[in-house]
Amino acid sequence: MNVFNDASTAYYHRDIGGYNAAKLKRYQELIDYHLLPEIQRFATAFNNQPLTLGKIDTALSNLNAINMLNTKYIILQKDQMPLVNAHACGYAWNVNDVKLVPNADAEITELATIDPHKTLVIQNKYWDEKYNNALSSLDTNFKIEITNFSPNEISYKYSSSAPQIVAFSEVYYPEWEMQIDGKEQPIMKANYVIRAAYLPAGNHDIKMHFVPRIYNKAKPITLTANILFILLLIGAIVQEFLKYRKNKKIES
């Protein structure tokens, strides 16, 4: 079974696969360039070799793309318990290094060369020089937790003694927006498909929410068109009624 062409698991669990006809091209490219090769490499790593915990752990640590998507469990065979992946990055984590690249091609290529726990690959256009101070002050006591999760909104609470660059294991999409304590904060695209952000020091609340801009732009137009249609319909009914009354008077 190809996990990326089957939606049965995704019906019950959050997973890195599933199927949707509207799958993002960017995510499909991640599948083709990184996820499938990593899965194949992992599955064949133990061919004709004794399976030891040390070898499994080493193999798991080399799954850069799979780990950055916070893949906590890996099922090798249906009749066996899933492997627990201790190298999954988590739903959010802070990093102390950013590799800046000029374009998307370089971004997806460099993903194979980094440790996603420590480094992010980000295109120049998303990076702001004022974020540099966060790279020199990694807070080892940084804490973040999810307080709400739904398809259109995710909320977090975090605490940090210094500004941080934080990665989120959620797929980047331009129509997602972020607020920190109610104030807008940009979301950066990192590692080709995930989200990252500059978070100020202190204790703060984060809310990411989906804002369908095209729908919102079209909504007033649709509303206006509906009102015009109703007015035309009312006008047509009134006109027919007046004709009916006029004809009744002529007959009488």
Side-chain angles (χ1 to χ4, degrees), residues 22-33:
K23 185 187 297 180
L24 291 174
K25 179 185 177 184
R26 185 183 299 117
Y27 195 78
Q28 184 60 52
E29 289 169 346
L30 181 76
I31 292 171
D32 295 336
Y33 283 91

Side-chain angles (χ1 to χ4, degrees), residues 134-166:
L135 298 176
S136 59
S137 55
L138 185 72
D139 182 2
T140 55
N141 295 316
F142 173 78
K143 293 181 180 179
I144 188 167
E145 61 176 324
I146 290 180
T147 56
N148 176 62
F149 184 91
S150 66
N152 295 329
E153 184 175 302
I154 309 173
S155 299
Y156 305 83
K157 281 184 177 292
Y158 81 90
S159 63
S160 176
S161 61
Q164 302 293 297
I165 298 298
V166 175

Side-chain angles (χ1 to χ4, degrees), residues 13 119 149 159 171 204:
H13 308 284
T119 304
F149 184 91
S159 63
V171 173
H204 300 281

Side-chain angles (χ1 to χ4, degrees), residues 5 7 25 36 62 65 72 91 99 108 115-116 128 159 169 175 186 195 203 217-218 232 235 242 246:
N5 287 325
K25 179 185 177 184
L36 277 178
N62 293 324
K72 296 179 180 179
Y91 47 77
K99 184 176 286 190
I108 197 169
D115 177 354
D128 192 312
S159 63
S169 59
E175 293 188 337
R195 306 172 198 174
N203 300 316
K217 287 180 180 178
L232 287 171
L242 292 175
K246 184 177 180 181

